[in-house]
Amino acid sequence: MSATSARADGIPAPGLRFAAIACRECDLLQRERPLPPGAVARCVRCGAELYRDHPDAFERALGYNTGAVVLFVMANAFPLVGLKIKGDLVQTTLLGAVHSLWRQDMRLVAGVVLLTTFITPLVQMLALSYLLLPLHFGRVPRHAATVFRTMNRAGEWSMVEVFLLGVLVALVKLLHLASVVPGVALWSFGAMMLLHAAAWSTFDARALWARLERRR
Ligand SMILES: [Zn+2]
């Protein structure tokens, strides 16, 4: 965040621009300073952590995200689950399941599944790659602010965990009707969920904006 200091009469003082950060706990606005590697900045009023310097967080987030993209491709290229009924094996992929729902006139459910388990995770992962990859190679991605906002909005609709839990519950219920054969995609989805969560927890938006500002 960029702020301009103000005189007592409220008129911004010319040339006195500095980065400021608001404490999430007590809302106090404080001046942001560069930190030595690994150090933590705390709020002067309540002691809450404001931000910290992760020397390799940027590269780790990029690595986790790239792994998640590969697993996402596998999760959609291979069968999610197979059912063995009287010797016949019936398999389906995630998109195949969405297509079946659509054909069975459950179009709203098909749309929700497609949006929350395919479109939004894909948008999130591609957006994160779009922001991190060019910066890793010393370039500034174009329209970074728009992509960053889109990525955050998409995050509100990503429900891979809920989907995976629903699939597992459905599979347990089907066990007495048929032999359930977990597909490659099911394991890939599980691993993707973990890497996706790791990328998001490691991703430091403050470090991203700091790099963007430095490169401009
Ligand atoms: Zn505080």
PDB file of all heavy atoms in Angstrom, residues 22-28 30 42-48 50, ligand 1:
ATOM      1  N   ALA A  22      -1.433  -1.709   7.353  1.00  0.00           N
ATOM      2  CA  ALA A  22      -2.400  -1.662   8.459  1.00  0.00           C
ATOM      3  C   ALA A  22      -2.355  -2.973   9.230  1.00  0.00           C
ATOM      4  O   ALA A  22      -2.312  -4.046   8.628  1.00  0.00           O
ATOM      5  CB  ALA A  22      -3.799  -1.432   7.912  1.00  0.00           C
ATOM      6  N   CYS A  23      -2.343  -2.871  10.558  1.00  0.00           N
ATOM      7  CA  CYS A  23      -2.350  -4.072  11.405  1.00  0.00           C
ATOM      8  C   CYS A  23      -3.711  -4.763  11.267  1.00  0.00           C
ATOM      9  O   CYS A  23      -4.753  -4.128  11.360  1.00  0.00           O
ATOM     10  CB  CYS A  23      -2.100  -3.687  12.863  1.00  0.00           C
ATOM     11  SG  CYS A  23      -2.272  -5.082  13.989  1.00  0.00           S
ATOM     12  N   ARG A  24      -3.710  -6.074  11.057  1.00  0.00           N
ATOM     13  CA  ARG A  24      -4.969  -6.814  10.882  1.00  0.00           C
ATOM     14  C   ARG A  24      -5.737  -6.930  12.190  1.00  0.00           C
ATOM     15  O   ARG A  24      -6.936  -7.152  12.201  1.00  0.00           O
ATOM     16  CB  ARG A  24      -4.687  -8.226  10.369  1.00  0.00           C
ATOM     17  CG  ARG A  24      -4.272  -8.256   8.933  1.00  0.00           C
ATOM     18  CD  ARG A  24      -4.114  -9.683   8.466  1.00  0.00           C
ATOM     19  NE  ARG A  24      -3.471  -9.718   7.178  1.00  0.00           N
ATOM     20  CZ  ARG A  24      -3.144 -10.824   6.535  1.00  0.00           C
ATOM     21  NH1 ARG A  24      -3.388 -11.980   7.089  1.00  0.00           N
ATOM     22  NH2 ARG A  24      -2.570 -10.785   5.364  1.00  0.00           N
ATOM     23  N   GLU A  25      -5.028  -6.823  13.322  1.00  0.00           N
ATOM     24  CA  GLU A  25      -5.676  -7.005  14.618  1.00  0.00           C
ATOM     25  C   GLU A  25      -6.267  -5.698  15.142  1.00  0.00           C
ATOM     26  O   GLU A  25      -7.389  -5.671  15.615  1.00  0.00           O
ATOM     27  CB  GLU A  25      -4.655  -7.536  15.647  1.00  0.00           C
ATOM     28  CG  GLU A  25      -3.950  -8.814  15.231  1.00  0.00           C
ATOM     29  CD  GLU A  25      -4.881 -10.019  15.215  1.00  0.00           C
ATOM     30  OE1 GLU A  25      -5.858 -10.019  15.965  1.00  0.00           O
ATOM     31  OE2 GLU A  25      -4.612 -10.955  14.430  1.00  0.00           O
ATOM     32  N   CYS A  26      -5.473  -4.605  15.082  1.00  0.00           N
ATOM     33  CA  CYS A  26      -5.948  -3.364  15.711  1.00  0.00           C
ATOM     34  C   CYS A  26      -6.095  -2.217  14.717  1.00  0.00           C
ATOM     35  O   CYS A  26      -6.451  -1.110  15.101  1.00  0.00           O
ATOM     36  CB  CYS A  26      -5.014  -2.959  16.857  1.00  0.00           C
ATOM     37  SG  CYS A  26      -3.405  -2.361  16.289  1.00  0.00           S
ATOM     38  N   ASP A  27      -5.804  -2.476  13.432  1.00  0.00           N
ATOM     39  CA  ASP A  27      -6.040  -1.517  12.350  1.00  0.00           C
ATOM     40  C   ASP A  27      -5.110  -0.298  12.371  1.00  0.00           C
ATOM     41  O   ASP A  27      -5.371   0.690  11.682  1.00  0.00           O
ATOM     42  CB  ASP A  27      -7.501  -1.038  12.389  1.00  0.00           C
ATOM     43  CG  ASP A  27      -8.036  -0.832  10.982  1.00  0.00           C
ATOM     44  OD1 ASP A  27      -7.495  -1.464  10.057  1.00  0.00           O
ATOM     45  OD2 ASP A  27      -8.961  -0.028  10.808  1.00  0.00           O
ATOM     46  N   LEU A  28      -4.060  -0.354  13.177  1.00  0.00           N
ATOM     47  CA  LEU A  28      -3.138   0.782  13.220  1.00  0.00           C
ATOM     48  C   LEU A  28      -2.288   0.809  11.949  1.00  0.00           C
ATOM     49  O   LEU A  28      -1.729  -0.206  11.542  1.00  0.00           O
ATOM     50  CB  LEU A  28      -2.220   0.652  14.444  1.00  0.00           C
ATOM     51  CG  LEU A  28      -1.199   1.790  14.629  1.00  0.00           C
ATOM     52  CD1 LEU A  28      -1.905   3.094  14.983  1.00  0.00           C
ATOM     53  CD2 LEU A  28      -0.189   1.427  15.724  1.00  0.00           C
ATOM     54  N   GLN A  30       0.921   1.646   9.933  1.00  0.00           N
ATOM     55  CA  GLN A  30       2.324   1.823  10.296  1.00  0.00           C
ATOM     56  C   GLN A  30       3.232   1.855   9.069  1.00  0.00           C
ATOM     57  O   GLN A  30       2.896   1.290   8.037  1.00  0.00           O
ATOM     58  CB  GLN A  30       2.758   0.661  11.199  1.00  0.00           C
ATOM     59  CG  GLN A  30       2.140   0.763  12.567  1.00  0.00           C
ATOM     60  CD  GLN A  30       1.985  -0.599  13.222  1.00  0.00           C
ATOM     61  OE1 GLN A  30       2.919  -1.074  13.846  1.00  0.00           O
ATOM     62  NE2 GLN A  30       0.829  -1.215  13.093  1.00  0.00           N
ATOM     63  N   ARG A  42       6.513  -6.554  13.767  1.00  0.00           N
ATOM     64  CA  ARG A  42       5.338  -6.649  14.629  1.00  0.00           C
ATOM     65  C   ARG A  42       4.725  -5.272  14.850  1.00  0.00           C
ATOM     66  O   ARG A  42       5.401  -4.252  14.759  1.00  0.00           O
ATOM     67  CB  ARG A  42       5.704  -7.271  15.982  1.00  0.00           C
ATOM     68  CG  ARG A  42       6.170  -8.697  15.843  1.00  0.00           C
ATOM     69  CD  ARG A  42       6.201  -9.449  17.170  1.00  0.00           C
ATOM     70  NE  ARG A  42       6.599 -10.840  16.945  1.00  0.00           N
ATOM     71  CZ  ARG A  42       5.760 -11.790  16.552  1.00  0.00           C
ATOM     72  NH1 ARG A  42       4.483 -11.531  16.396  1.00  0.00           N
ATOM     73  NH2 ARG A  42       6.197 -13.022  16.348  1.00  0.00           N
ATOM     74  N   CYS A  43       3.424  -5.295  15.155  1.00  0.00           N
ATOM     75  CA  CYS A  43       2.676  -4.055  15.380  1.00  0.00           C
ATOM     76  C   CYS A  43       3.192  -3.382  16.654  1.00  0.00           C
ATOM     77  O   CYS A  43       3.385  -4.048  17.677  1.00  0.00           O
ATOM     78  CB  CYS A  43       1.200  -4.392  15.515  1.00  0.00           C
ATOM     79  SG  CYS A  43       0.177  -2.994  15.969  1.00  0.00           S
ATOM     80  N   VAL A  44       3.410  -2.055  16.599  1.00  0.00           N
ATOM     81  CA  VAL A  44       3.927  -1.353  17.776  1.00  0.00           C
ATOM     82  C   VAL A  44       2.866  -1.238  18.872  1.00  0.00           C
ATOM     83  O   VAL A  44       3.182  -1.069  20.039  1.00  0.00           O
ATOM     84  CB  VAL A  44       4.430   0.070  17.410  1.00  0.00           C
ATOM     85  CG1 VAL A  44       5.661   0.007  16.543  1.00  0.00           C
ATOM     86  CG2 VAL A  44       3.334   0.896  16.753  1.00  0.00           C
ATOM     87  N   ARG A  45       1.584  -1.376  18.487  1.00  0.00           N
ATOM     88  CA  ARG A  45       0.518  -1.222  19.487  1.00  0.00           C
ATOM     89  C   ARG A  45       0.116  -2.556  20.131  1.00  0.00           C
ATOM     90  O   ARG A  45       0.034  -2.665  21.340  1.00  0.00           O
ATOM     91  CB  ARG A  45      -0.706  -0.569  18.843  1.00  0.00           C
ATOM     92  CG  ARG A  45      -1.838  -0.334  19.831  1.00  0.00           C
ATOM     93  CD  ARG A  45      -2.736   0.789  19.425  1.00  0.00           C
ATOM     94  NE  ARG A  45      -3.541   0.466  18.248  1.00  0.00           N
ATOM     95  CZ  ARG A  45      -4.327   1.352  17.639  1.00  0.00           C
ATOM     96  NH1 ARG A  45      -4.394   2.603  18.090  1.00  0.00           N
ATOM     97  NH2 ARG A  45      -5.027   1.011  16.595  1.00  0.00           N
ATOM     98  N   CYS A  46      -0.141  -3.595  19.303  1.00  0.00           N
ATOM     99  CA  CYS A  46      -0.680  -4.839  19.884  1.00  0.00           C
ATOM    100  C   CYS A  46       0.293  -6.017  19.765  1.00  0.00           C
ATOM    101  O   CYS A  46       0.021  -7.093  20.295  1.00  0.00           O
ATOM    102  CB  CYS A  46      -2.016  -5.190  19.250  1.00  0.00           C
ATOM    103  SG  CYS A  46      -1.882  -5.773  17.557  1.00  0.00           S
ATOM    104  N   GLY A  47       1.390  -5.842  19.045  1.00  0.00           N
ATOM    105  CA  GLY A  47       2.391  -6.916  18.954  1.00  0.00           C
ATOM    106  C   GLY A  47       2.084  -7.980  17.921  1.00  0.00           C
ATOM    107  O   GLY A  47       2.830  -8.958  17.802  1.00  0.00           O
ATOM    108  N   ALA A  48       0.963  -7.848  17.193  1.00  0.00           N
ATOM    109  CA  ALA A  48       0.620  -8.856  16.169  1.00  0.00           C
ATOM    110  C   ALA A  48       1.639  -8.807  15.039  1.00  0.00           C
ATOM    111  O   ALA A  48       2.244  -7.770  14.780  1.00  0.00           O
ATOM    112  CB  ALA A  48      -0.781  -8.583  15.627  1.00  0.00           C
ATOM    113  N   LEU A  50       2.954  -8.303  11.542  1.00  0.00           N
ATOM    114  CA  LEU A  50       2.521  -7.511  10.380  1.00  0.00           C
ATOM    115  C   LEU A  50       2.946  -8.183   9.089  1.00  0.00           C
ATOM    116  O   LEU A  50       2.165  -8.385   8.183  1.00  0.00           O
ATOM    117  CB  LEU A  50       3.139  -6.115  10.439  1.00  0.00           C
ATOM    118  CG  LEU A  50       2.650  -5.172  11.543  1.00  0.00           C
ATOM    119  CD1 LEU A  50       3.456  -3.887  11.506  1.00  0.00           C
ATOM    120  CD2 LEU A  50       1.179  -4.874  11.387  1.00  0.00           C
TER     121      LEU A  50
HETATM  122 ZN    ZN B   1      -1.894  -4.002  16.011  1.00  0.00          ZN
END
